[in-house]
């Protein structure tokens, strides 16, 4: 099969390389980045195209740390089971775990990021008074609730009285001087959601994380991507434990017991 | 379908949670980690079970930064094409990109990590003289070459005269006082590989990264996992660019041109 | 890490096994299925819970065949690039290819299946007259168009004058006596979409496939699953060709050329 | 970001398309394949490049049916957990399930296919006598056992007295006149493995499947690909059941119970 020569017009501004250099966003990887910046700094540089400030880096480190692990989650189990049956390909195990970062679990980050982005657009012209901001939030929340949806970023099935990570994330943002209008809008969302639904719906970690990522300039469409960076580390830790103390055999035995052929009566 | 109740005996030492707390390796996520440690520190804590020193953290940051992006790689393209056709699921796009971190590309890290681990075992008893170490390296390298394999961690198809990232990684490790026997063995591998094969086989970034990860206590089986953490950030950056300046349509057009039905002659 | 014993209540009606038997949907795999039924028959049995008729099988075979390959698609390329860099894990290459079966490409099947399911619900009570059916279709299509969406199952970026697979799929369904209300509704959708938008929007293969799957009892939420079965075979064929005549090196070279460091002027 | 125009030389013999036609291996999809051939026939056509005989098709259908489901396997669970948390992306759930088809579970097919291919090479010249064949098998098996490996295709952790699927697969191949030297070599492998190890190591389904795929011309490197086609159908069935009767919540509750924070004593 000979193939054909076809023209292809493509390019990227993320990174570049030649025989002697590698660049990320125009900075020299060797001279400017390796040993000079942290993972979090270069991740932000690659995603946003500009070098983050120390305060922004601290806030994003807090976000990445907050979602890194949550014990034996379904996605940690998916990664461990996959690693056990395909130990030659740790990338497959991690990928299987990441594929669970969908609309139900970590994806709420994306939903909250979108809501806050919409609110920022709603309130972009001039300084909104408290009443104007409240009305904008009410309109957005009512639209979600009327459509039968859940307000993203609020509530948690385990941390029912409040997600302990959320408050700490906002505190870090305030300490670093990074909390601004998105955090303000988020607090209004929490307040109005309680008023509107009559239920206590405390802020969760993904909601707080979304506000912080917006404050540092990460668009909502990429919020779930930061959850993926974070979880990758947690999944590698779980795969490492599976190497030493596998849980897959016990899970497999339980699954077999649960799907045994029922004796006819 | 009613289901059955089966007993399941499992547990993890990576993380834990209850209504009011989340722990990673026994440390409180809120009090001890969020806002206190960086992503890289908590990733190392989760994987190794102990809090890294500042020097170790700096070395692992260097490793994570060095592999974060390399321009338009095949795996960046796989992620971008996947995102273009399934934009509702960024986790799928990132997973598709990570699945390319196999034995040919980033997997060489694992191979080099294994070789250095074997050498450390070979030379574990007492202080090896230079000659003993050289013999151990020669034996291992000859076994690889005789089996038709490539010496892992050496050579690069683009950086033919030397991978600029490799030297910087070793320099960071030395600066931080983290370079010890694994770096020493790696340098011997480079020297003896040239002697044995008669070819210049300069150290590449994955080889240097493997030595540094061993120095900080990450077992070779998890080295590729650190490449996954690193690449996840780069892939998110590429997906972000695909949102703004998609290359998938041009690639698709080129693929269609290349697989058009040939007119019969 | 000792672990704890926790109770787990689960079960499945899909399949079961013990030391001497395997069952799928209550039928014995060895006595009733292997060598007795085809892949397509057992796939339908597993998914729907009942053994399909010969006519239903013929229709689903047509659906599976119609989407099996379409030359060098982006997902075929993603699979081939992944295989080239991770040849030890063909499952990763196929998974990377399948992850592209999203809302933009094969996912339109799901959208069309949902539209036809909604229409069947709208028109469920009694026999709809032509006018009633037309009104129901117009209402649904207008809602989609007003929300800025594209009518699923219609149009194709390559087959602009009409997707040759679509007509053949409907013909097979008619020949087999399987075409009923869903096919009828689909034809009305095609007719009314043209009237409403003033554009020729010919039926495509995923639209026809959705109608046929509904006729045989596959709910729309699983339609994309049949596209996955189909594409898996095509992706394996592409991986097989990559083993013999790899295209990944040429793609990689082009990508490198496109992301080389620009010389400063 | 403007991009550059780079030349790309690629092509494929698997499939092709233009505005009015789609071809698979040079046959017209609409005229020759849809409604004319089954999924299994076109899958084989795409992979091997030639149209299979009815007997070959029957044998491959038996292979695909035999591996389609095995109750609640770890990979079925991984798919179901992934679907539960990312229901918008069924392709991710199926991909997560397929990623478990590695060296430990379905991958043994590949190992057995490789062993049988090696034996066919060993014995390629002229007609081997029984003694020659036995010696060739003994040499190959001893090499595996001496290297600490397990003989692929033999033994099963649940079906300890014999995998009921294996015998039926061989029977189908014989009935169809497809069983030839690879089946013969496989039977010799079973016989000699028992003699060499002193243990009863009955043939399992993946071993029999490998022999049958070789008989119809599928190279061993693609055997796992047929397991993927087969499992995709089973995974779609499990995802469909998860939609109706989810098991993920019970699994998640058990995981949470197992990773709760231990009260200090």
């Amino acid at each position: 099969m000979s193939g054909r020569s076809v023209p292809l017009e493509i390019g990227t501004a993320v990174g570049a390389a030649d025989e002697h250099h590698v660049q990320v966003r125009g900075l020299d990887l060797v001279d400017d980045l390796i040993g000079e910046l942290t993972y979090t700094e270069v991740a932000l540089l690659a995603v946003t195209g500009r070098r983050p400030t120390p305060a922004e880096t601290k806030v994003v480190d807090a976000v990445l740390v907050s979602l890194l692990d949550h014990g034996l989650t379904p996605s940690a189990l998916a990664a461990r089971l996959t690693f056990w049956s395909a130990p030659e390909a740790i990338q497959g195990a991690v990928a299987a775990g990441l594929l669970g970062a969908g609309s139900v679990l970590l994806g709420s980050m994306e939903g909250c990021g979108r809501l806050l982005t919409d609110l920022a657009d709603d309130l972009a012209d001039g300084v909104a008074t408290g009443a104007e901001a409240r009305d904008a939030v009410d309109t957005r929340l009512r639209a979600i609730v009327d459509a039968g949806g859940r307000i993203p970023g609020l509530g948690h099935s385990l941390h029912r009285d409040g997600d302990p990570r959320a408050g700490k994330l906002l505190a870090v943002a305030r300490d670093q001087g990074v909390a601004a209008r998105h955090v303000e809008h988020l607090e209004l969302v929490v307040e109005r959601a309680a008023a509107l639904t009559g239920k206590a719906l405390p802020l969760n970690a993904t909601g707080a994380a979304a506000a912080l990522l917006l404050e540092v300039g990460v668009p909502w469409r990429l919020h779930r991507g930061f959850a993926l960076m974070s979880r990758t580390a947690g999944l590698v830790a779980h795969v490492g434990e599976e190497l030493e103390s596998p849980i897959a055999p016990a899970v497999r035995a339980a699954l077999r017991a649960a799907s045994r052929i029922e004796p006819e009566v």
Side-chain angles (χ1 to χ4, degrees), chain A residues 90-257:
Chain A
I90 188 176
Q91 71 272 19
V94 171
L98 292 182
L99 288 168
S103 58
V104 171
L105 290 186
L106 294 169
S108 55
M109 201 164 162
E110 202 170 283
C112 188
R114 182 179 199 167
L115 170 62
L116 295 175
T117 302
D118 286 342
L119 285 170
D121 288 344
D122 293 344
L123 299 166
D125 304 326
V127 179
T129 66
E132 281 166 349
R134 207 187 50 207
D135 287 352
V137 170
D138 282 2
T139 304
R140 290 277 170 194
L141 295 190
R142 245 184 240 116
I144 293 170
V145 171
D146 289 352
R150 299 176 48 182
I151 300 170
L154 307 187
H156 194 283
S157 64
L158 176 62
H159 307 299
R160 289 164 196 274
D161 306 335
D163 183 333
R165 299 167 293 182
K168 180 69 180 278
L169 283 172
L170 297 188
V172 171
R174 274 192 212 96
D175 281 357
Q176 298 297 327
V178 164
R181 61 182 177 145
H182 297 296
V183 169
E184 212 175 288
H185 295 164
L186 180 63
E187 290 178 320
L188 209 48
V189 165
V190 174
E191 183 193 312
R192 300 306 302 161
L196 233 78
T197 65
K199 283 186 284 187
L201 280 172
L203 183 64
N204 66 36
T206 63
L212 270 53
L213 288 173
L214 287 178
E215 298 290 14
V216 305
V218 176
W220 69 265
R221 287 290 301 266
L222 300 183
H223 286 189
R224 209 186 286 190
F226 281 75
L228 298 174
M229 293 179 211
S230 176
R231 263 315 141 90
T232 299
L235 292 171
V236 172
H238 277 285
V239 165
E241 190 179 63
E242 190 70 16
L243 269 170
E244 301 294 325
S245 316
I247 63 173
V251 173
R252 192 189 194 198
L255 294 176
R256 279 190 172 167

Side-chain angles (χ1 to χ4, degrees), chain A residues 66-84:
Chain A
S66 68
L67 301 172
L68 198 136
D69 190 67
H70 203 266
L72 277 177
T73 56
S75 76
L77 181 61
R80 294 177 75 141
L81 293 175
T82 304
F83 184 70
W84 176 79

